[in-house]
Amino acid sequence: MGQASCKGLYQSLFDYKTEKYVIAKNKKVGLLYRLLQVSILTYLVVWVFLVKKSYQDTDTSLQSSIITKVKGVIFTNTSELGERLWDVADYVIPPQGENVFFVITNLVVTPNQRQETCAENESIPDAVCSEDSDCPPGEPVVTGNGVRTGRCLRAENMQRGTCEIFAWCPVETRSRPEKPLLGKAEDFTIYIKNFIRFPKFNFSKTNVLDTKDRAYLRSCRFGPKDPYCPIFRLGSVVSWTGSDFQEIALQGGVIGIQIEWDCDLDKAPSECNPRYYFSRLDRRFPGNSVSSGYNFRFAKYYRDEAGVEFRTLIKAYGIRFDVLVNGRAGKFNIIPTIINVGSGVALMGVGSFFCDLILIYFIKKSHFYRNKKFEEVRVPNYLLCAPHHPHAGLATQGMER
């Protein structure tokens, strides 16, 4: 009997078992169940498949290249520089046309500097002195322009002066002009050419209209009616960030130009279009804060007929542009489709589980539904394949006798 019982248990491993369903005639629970099903189905169809497009395989490893050019000329006439024409070689840094470039809009110029001794700038606290001992020779001036020589230079009848330094003299003394030197630069144009490639799908595209008309780039301007024109007016770019051009031209700033590619490769390639976003990246402080703006210094060097080296020091204020590119591409693939459909089917079971809890534990007749849902079966001892079989026990006793 015991061996037969174990054989039956072994054979039962290959049986197919199906669930027993109990139909509960409860309108409230039934309505809740249908609402949960509709909600889950709507979530899967609308959000998962239509919005997120989870039936697609995606590629976010975007390969991108940026080429930039600025065009425009300005004529200025100042006491420091005289009459001068500014073109792209004068006001764009660096000239190679990278994804980060700087357009000069304001200047502080200190011409004809040479390495010699002179008085340090009076506005530097570490350079103030009363006697020569306050200027130890060979010590650099903190946040200053040179190295102390050991002399304290004082005007007549003045108790305090500034240390003499060895530096590029005369030192920079002028403050920022009240009006931007290149205030009319808002009419300059920026050419931004972007090549992109999604390696997984071997898909490439550019943000420039595919045309053989050579005059197109000379006349077009970027706008809602012409999204494939890569020519941007400088003043318009600044205004799209919510900034005033004259304010940012005076003290400088940083502007981000973001190009975003969101390509559905199940559609035609012409449907994959770039979208542009413009933002002010540097923090703007209220009023004329010392932390506002963006500037840096550079110099132009030359020698006179005697071979003495001179330089013109330029403190440049202007607008730095950071061109940022990101994107993703998607294309139908059976694997993510099956995975998301399977997840949706499994999610449907959550509705059944939730309604079972309500039906069995939270309604008035829960005990009645619980008894219909679950059946308790007691297994007789003789059906178990173990020494507990009564005849197995008798046989053992007989052998002992």
Side-chain angles (χ1 to χ4, degrees):
M1 291 291 293
Q3 293 179 352
S5 177
C6 290
K7 183 179 180 180
L9 178 61
Y10 171 75
Q11 292 177 347
S12 68
L13 294 176
F14 300 96
D15 294 341
Y16 171 73
K17 303 174 181 61
T18 185
E19 296 182 4
K20 175 183 178 182
Y21 290 93
V22 177
I23 300 176
K25 299 293 185 179
N26 189 303
K27 293 182 179 180
K28 294 182 180 179
V29 178
L31 178 61
L32 176 62
Y33 181 59
R34 298 306 175 193
L35 288 175
L36 289 173
Q37 283 184 321
V38 170
S39 300
I40 294 172
L41 187 62
T42 303
Y43 163 76
L44 291 173
V45 173
V46 176
W47 179 255
V48 176
F49 287 99
L50 296 182
V51 177
K52 290 297 185 179
K53 298 180 181 179
S54 299
Y55 57 87
Q56 293 182 331
D57 189 13
T58 60
D59 184 7
T60 57
S61 58
L62 177 68
Q63 298 174 349
S64 173
S65 176
I66 294 289
I67 299 173
T68 58
K69 294 180 182 179
V70 182
K71 286 189 176 182
V73 294
I74 286 183
F75 175 79
T76 61
N77 188 356
T78 62
S79 58
E80 297 86 1
L81 301 174
E83 293 184 352
R84 182 164 182 174
L85 181 70
W86 297 80
D87 64 10
V88 63
D90 297 316
Y91 57 74
V92 175
I93 301 172
Q96 290 90 349
E98 302 174 356
N99 62 323
V100 177
F101 60 97
F102 180 82
V103 177
I104 298 174
T105 56
N106 204 5
L107 293 173
V108 175
V109 181
T110 307
N112 302 323
Q113 286 186 322
R114 61 177 293 182
Q115 290 194 7
E116 57 184 356
T117 59
C118 56
E120 179 61 280
N121 195 322
E122 296 178 355
S123 63
I124 299 176
D126 192 44
V128 177
C129 62
S130 300
E131 52 188 18
D132 291 346
S133 60
D134 295 331
C135 303
E139 292 292 330
V141 180
V142 179
T143 68
N145 296 285
V147 177
R148 298 179 178 91
T149 64
R151 295 178 60 195
C152 180
L153 303 180
R154 298 187 302 273
E156 295 182 1
N157 301 323
M158 295 292 295
Q159 295 183 351
R160 298 173 67 86
T162 57
C163 292
E164 182 185 63
I165 59 171
F166 178 78
W168 286 96
C169 300
V171 297
E172 180 184 276
T173 56
R174 292 187 60 242
S175 59
R176 185 183 66 202
E178 295 181 357
K179 292 184 179 180
L181 179 65
L182 305 183
K184 296 182 180 179
E186 57 186 329
D187 291 325
F188 291 172
T189 59
I190 307 174
Y191 170 69
I192 302 175
K193 189 173 185 179
N194 179 212
F195 298 95
I196 59 120
R197 180 176 179 268
F198 291 100
K200 179 181 288 188
F201 306 116
N202 195 25
F203 177 82
S204 302
K205 200 168 183 182
T206 180
N207 66 329
V208 182
L209 181 67
D210 186 12
T211 179
K212 296 181 180 180
D213 184 6
R214 294 182 178 273
Y216 172 71
L217 293 178
R218 299 176 184 175
S219 58
C220 76
R221 292 293 181 272
F222 172 81
K225 296 182 180 180
D226 201 353
Y228 274 90
C229 175
I231 309 296
F232 302 83
R233 181 176 173 270
L234 186 57
S236 299
V237 172
V238 173
S239 65
W240 290 334
T241 67
S243 302
D244 177 71
F245 181 83
Q246 296 303 317
E247 175 265 329
I248 196 173
L250 179 64
Q251 60 185 9
V254 183
I255 288 180
I257 302 176
Q258 181 175 337
I259 307 176
E260 184 171 333
W261 296 85
D262 190 359
C263 299
D264 185 353
L265 300 185
D266 293 326
K267 300 179 181 179
S270 59
E271 298 294 323
C272 175
N273 301 317
R275 287 184 293 178
Y276 297 86
Y277 301 92
F278 307 90
S279 58
R280 181 83 178 265
L281 300 182
D282 63 307
R283 183 180 177 185
R284 288 173 290 178
F285 294 88
N288 192 18
S289 172
V290 294
S291 300
S292 300
Y294 180 81
N295 65 80
F296 64 93
R297 292 173 175 84
F298 66 96
K300 295 183 178 180
Y301 297 86
Y302 59 94
R303 292 180 183 271
D304 63 5
E305 296 179 353
V308 179
E309 186 179 31
F310 289 83
R311 78 175 188 182
T312 298
L313 178 64
I314 300 173
K315 183 178 181 181
Y317 296 84
I319 307 172
R320 168 175 159 163
F321 293 91
D322 290 12
V323 184
L324 314 171
V325 182
N326 58 48
R328 64 180 295 276
K331 193 173 184 179
F332 174 78
N333 190 298
I334 191 63
I335 301 301
T337 303
I338 293 175
I339 292 175
N340 283 281
V341 169
S343 300
V345 172
L347 195 59
M348 286 291 186
V350 175
S352 301
F353 176 76
F354 184 72
C355 290
D356 281 348
L357 290 179
I358 295 177
L359 194 66
I360 296 173
Y361 296 104
F362 296 102
I363 63 175
K364 293 182 179 179
K365 298 181 180 180
S366 60
H367 63 283
F368 173 76
Y369 290 109
R370 194 181 307 116
N371 292 334
K372 294 293 184 180
K373 176 73 175 178
F374 303 105
E375 292 184 6
E376 183 178 346
V377 178
R378 297 183 179 273
V379 181
N381 290 335
Y382 66 85
L383 293 180
L384 300 177
C385 56
H388 298 287
H389 194 287
H391 297 285
L394 291 176
T396 302
Q397 295 177 2
M399 291 176 63
E400 290 178 353
R401 293 176 185 175

